């Protein structure tokens, strides 16, 4: 009886410790390459760090980054339509 309990305990510990890894993955669905897309998108940005930061937020939500460094937002309606708290376009 003791052995069964120990086995159950070990199994549940393994299950619990394996859970967070799969739920905290950066891009659980799609694996869209936000990093490289945003780097290209922000190539000409004045404040590159901020550009990449906002681009990353939008990209993770939309799984899409327009091509080129400006414009082309019609390629990504979700990206185009995201606004900040002031109602201005959020994504670079
Ligand atoms: C749109 O994307 C192309 C490359 O795909 C880029 O050359 C161009 O500068 C971008 N922006 C506009 C406004 O055309």
């Amino acid at each position: 009886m003791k052995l069964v309990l120990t086995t159950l305990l070990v199994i549940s510990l393994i299950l619990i410790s394996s859970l967070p890894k799969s739920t905290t993955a950066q891009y659980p669905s799609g694996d869209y390459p936000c990093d490289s897309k945003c780097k290209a998108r922000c190539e000409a940005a004045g404040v590159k760090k901020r550009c990449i930061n906002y681009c990353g937020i939008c990209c993770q939500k939309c799984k899409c980054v327009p091509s080129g460094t400006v414009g082309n937002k019609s390629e990504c309606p979700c990206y185009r339509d995201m606004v900040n708290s002031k109602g201005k376009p959020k994504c670079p």
Side-chain angles (χ1 to χ4, degrees), residues 14-29 31:
I14 290 171
L15 280 178
I16 288 168
S17 63
S18 68
L19 272 180
K21 264 176 222 150
S22 52
T23 50
T24 54
Q26 201 76 37
Y27 309 116
S29 61
D31 268 334

Side-chain angles (χ1 to χ4, degrees), residues 41 67-72 75:
R41 180 69 176 170
S67 55
T69 54
V70 287
N72 292 328
E75 291 173 11

Side-chain angles (χ1 to χ4, degrees), residues 49-90:
K49 222 172 164 181
R50 209 180 62 164
C51 176
I52 286 177
N53 187 24
Y54 279 104
C55 177
I57 295 170
C58 299
C59 178
Q60 282 189 29
K61 196 145 197 174
C62 300
K63 300 276 182 262
C64 178
V65 175
S67 55
T69 54
V70 287
N72 292 328
K73 284 195 179 180
S74 56
E75 291 173 11
C76 303
C78 163
Y79 189 101
R80 178 195 61 201
D81 294 339
M82 278 182 75
V83 291
N84 60 22
S85 54
K86 287 175 189 142
K88 293 251 171 70
K90 186 184 184 79

